[in-house]
Amino acid sequence: MGFHAELSNQFSSSNQELTKEEKAETLEILVESYKALSADTKNLISNLANASSLLWFCYKGMNINVNWTGFYILDSADDKKLVLAPFQGKVACQEIFFGKGVCGTAASSSETQLVPNVHEYANHIACDGETKSEIVVPIKHNGKVVGVIDLDCLDFSGFDEIDKLYLEQLAEAIASSCDWEKYI
Amino acid sequence: MGFHAELSNQFSSSNQELTKEEKAETLEILVESYKALSADTKNLISNLANASSLLWFCYKGMNINVNWTGFYILDSADDKKLVLAPFQGKVACQEIFFGKGVCGTAASSSETQLVPNVHEYANHIACDGETKSEIVVPIKHNGKVVGVIDLDCLDFSGFDEIDKLYLEQLAEAIASSCDWEKYI
């Protein structure tokens, strides 16, 4: 591998809206890039840190106006609480209880939450008042939710079923590539 | 506290070069903002994740052209190796051995490395070929280097003695506010 930063640079912006096929191809590159990177280390924190960067540059490159791309993971001392993990974007809430907000609901239900308008989502936790839509994908390891992928967007309906499909693939890749036992 | 993101928003860009006094004041707000945030949690990963965001928005707000703001921490299995921790910016190297590059030298010498031109630094590790200058500040806990703060800039001489002074204060605040024993 040359410069690691090249993995972020590959998602160059086109200033055009992508077709569904182009979007799917780009998100496939995201998943493959994560797999290539995580072949070098099982360290959970290192892998989540690089994954948050891949997510940021991938979505910016697709002209999807993300303002936060990152992770919450299970608190080692309380398996009904998520704690803030690596991300790209503005300062965020440090703790989220299962069942609270979009992240807590994804964790407690073990189901992806695709939220086109966070203002209409009952019990939404706002870390940033500018967020308009959100997608949260649970990460499951040995049948248990151990964390979530969380993406926020400054536009309504920022995410769709294509994002859900590929982010669930990313969640599987993250679940199987990291030393979760050391942290949770 | 209102929206957590407001802590990033407070560093609004002025489009002018700051005086030394303005720069010192801004960096003091950075350190105080970190202390306020970390009063809510001792979780190392959460605190480093939010600190990387504060650093990014603080430096961008001062019109200092940072391309990477983040952390490496000691590997729990090898106390002569740093592993990638939360950051903002492009994908980065996952492991750095003590004595290697600017980060590894800061860790092995326990001294801040202020590098106006990385091309002239013997044994520089380039994660991103666009980086021109760098500052790395060791984080010391119980007399031992447990991690480093690492900032990269796209311009030569991006950092100076004022950065060193306040980033060393930030390193002290990070050292004393987190549950290091759980991770290293």
Side-chain angles (χ1 to χ4, degrees), chain A residues 3-38:
Chain A
F3 297 127
H4 281 75
E6 296 301 326
L7 284 173
S8 296
N9 292 340
Q10 70 185 322
F11 301 110
S12 57
S13 181
S14 69
N15 283 325
Q16 287 184 357
E17 205 179 331
L18 272 61
T19 64
K20 286 184 179 187
E21 290 72 21
E22 288 169 332
K23 184 173 179 176
E25 279 169 28
T26 305
L27 288 168
E28 210 171 313
I29 293 171
L30 167 75
V31 176
E32 292 309 313
S33 297
Y34 173 78
K35 287 180 181 172
L37 262 173
S38 60

Side-chain angles (χ1 to χ4, degrees), chain B residues 1 31 36 52 91-92 114 136 156 161 173 183:
Chain B
M1 190 182 293
V31 176
S52 73
V91 167
L114 182 54
V136 182
F156 292 114
E161 291 294 329
Y183 297 91

Side-chain angles (χ1 to χ4, degrees), chain A residues 101-117:
Chain A
V102 185
C103 284
T105 302
S108 60
S109 69
S110 196
E111 295 286 343
T112 294
Q113 301 295 302
L114 183 55
V115 183
N117 181 351

Side-chain angles (χ1 to χ4, degrees), chain B residues 25-38:
Chain B
E25 279 169 27
T26 305
L27 288 168
E28 211 171 313
I29 292 170
L30 166 75
V31 176
E32 293 308 313
S33 297
Y34 173 78
K35 288 180 180 172
L37 263 172
S38 61

Side-chain angles (χ1 to χ4, degrees), chain A residues 6 15 19 69 76 82 86 107 110 123 132 134 140 144 146 150 164:
Chain A
E6 296 301 326
N15 283 325
T19 64
T69 65
S76 60
L82 297 168
S110 196
N123 128 45
K132 295 215 171 48
E134 184 168 3
K140 296 171 226 177
K144 181 180 170 187
V146 288
D150 181 14
K164 179 175 184 291

Side-chain angles (χ1 to χ4, degrees), chain A residues 63-68 116 118 130-135 151-159:
Chain A
N63 295 310
I64 297 172
N65 209 0
V66 287
N67 56 327
W68 206 91
V118 296
E130 293 189 354
T131 298
K132 295 215 171 48
S133 59
E134 184 168 3
I135 186 168
L151 274 64
D152 293 345
C153 183
L154 293 170
D155 300 318
F156 292 115
S157 303
F159 310 103

